[in-house]
Amino acid sequence: MARESQTGSSTAEVAVLLPAVAILLAVVAGAGVVGGQQVRIQQAASAAARELARGTSAAEAIGTAHRLAGEQISISATASGGYGHVRVVSAVDLPLLGPIELHAEANARMEQQP
């Protein structure tokens, strides 16, 4: 009775599974990048809204947001109706999925000036 050889079968299994493992790792790393950037732009929007609420200028609030989230973000800061409103937009370019646009908004009630 002849017995079939199993030599090289584990190499073939690894060769078949390796692309799937690489894609899975890329997706997990991409999710981490997107999550980290979302946290950064939300913190930047909140800090800029607090700056507006304290009565600082929109330019200073935008500078605060840029310091926290980087220069690649797009920011709009307005103060109206007793509230400071800040909207931050950022794009993250992922290798397998392409660019993803992230948004963050924050509002803060204007402080009463004595």
Side-chain angles (χ1 to χ4, degrees):
M1 185 187 296
R3 188 170 164 167
E4 293 184 28
S5 174
Q6 296 292 321
T7 305
S9 65
S10 61
T11 303
E13 290 169 358
V14 169
V16 168
L17 291 177
L18 194 58
V21 171
I23 290 172
L24 178 65
L25 288 175
V27 168
V28 168
V33 168
V34 168
Q37 183 64 13
Q38 182 66 45
V39 168
R40 275 192 296 280
I41 66 171
Q42 185 61 54
Q43 288 176 341
S46 297
R50 283 192 302 272
E51 293 279 329
L52 284 176
R54 286 194 301 229
T56 61
S57 69
E60 289 180 37
I62 289 172
T64 298
H66 277 294
R67 266 194 322 278
L68 291 172
E71 293 298 321
Q72 73 282 3
I73 60 175
S74 172
I75 307 168
S76 65
T78 58
S80 63
Y83 285 87
H85 178 76
V86 177
R87 179 176 168 80
V88 178
V89 179
S90 176
V92 176
D93 192 20
L94 297 178
L96 298 175
L97 302 175
I100 295 176
E101 191 169 271
L102 303 174
H103 303 269
E105 293 187 32
N107 296 302
R109 187 170 183 197
M110 303 298 276
E111 293 180 1
Q112 298 295 327
Q113 301 298 325

